[in-house]
Amino acid sequence: MDRGSGFEAVFLDPVGQAVQQRWADAAMTVAFEDLPPVSAFPAVPGRRWGPGLWWSATTGRHVAAGSNAMRLQLMVLDRDRGVTGLAGRPVRLLWRDPRGQVRSWVPQLFARRIDGTALLADCPSHPDAGGERARNAAEAVAQACAHIGWTYRRLAPLDDVRAANLKWLAGYRHPRNAGHPGLMTAVVEAFTRPRPLIEGAEAVGDPIAVLPAVFHALWHGHLAACLDTPLHECVLVGPRGWSSPGRTGGAG
């Protein structure tokens, strides 16, 4: 049976009332990126990091985040130039399993893409998180997304070095770190050819004033550096799209 056409969506309307609608219809008409969580993220006693809010540089608004793993994935998507909107838990999907029992799942993350399609995702802290129920739900939600041309993914946890680099750059994502008028242009011009981070900063001016703009440019992709090794003053920084020697993918 084609289960993709049998899904229902539950979400909150602007006044906080729950709405249930055919999934295919909701996907075409509802701006999920603008909706609050359909249900609260659970607070688990004993965990070092609980539910909170992430300020998105993409949207200029806060996004609900339920775990440290999800916050890290929000960082990745917030830097993605192909993403235009983000939301935490904005929709619950309902369907019937092969035995006719009603099942439901609330994906942790919604990301709107620039082409109008979207990504629904979960952010497990390790590959087996959630057990069999999560695996079964992942299969069903993937079918629901494929039916309408969207994507569902269980996003793999980031390695420690990349996570640390993203956390550092995220601290400079706000527009205030672009500095005074003209500074960002000078920063980008300083790294027209790849050079050590501190060398390029010093070429522009006092590093104390310039480095926040360099990190802001790295966050937003105006400059590029390898984030798979620890950031330090001698790391090579280059122009947008530059890849450091020995890397097969794009920098950053």
Side-chain angles (χ1 to χ4, degrees), residues 70-153:
M70 181 180 173
R71 186 169 68 108
L72 287 170
Q73 298 297 348
L74 278 169
M75 290 183 194
V76 174
L77 290 168
D78 207 11
R79 293 186 72 229
D80 189 333
R81 296 172 64 84
V83 170
T84 62
L86 293 164
R89 302 193 96 189
V91 61
R92 178 188 302 276
L93 276 74
L94 304 173
W95 69 95
R96 291 187 181 275
D97 66 18
R99 294 182 295 177
Q101 295 180 315
V102 175
R103 301 297 183 188
S104 72
W105 191 257
V106 184
Q108 290 178 296
L109 197 155
F110 174 93
R112 180 74 68 182
R113 296 190 176 109
I114 198 168
D115 63 0
T117 64
L119 166 73
L120 285 177
D122 285 306
C123 311
S125 57
H126 57 87
D128 296 326
E132 184 178 0
R133 180 171 181 265
R135 291 192 296 272
N136 291 340
E139 180 182 347
V141 175
Q143 288 185 26
C145 287
H147 183 73
I148 58 171
W150 290 8
T151 305
Y152 169 81
R153 292 176 57 197

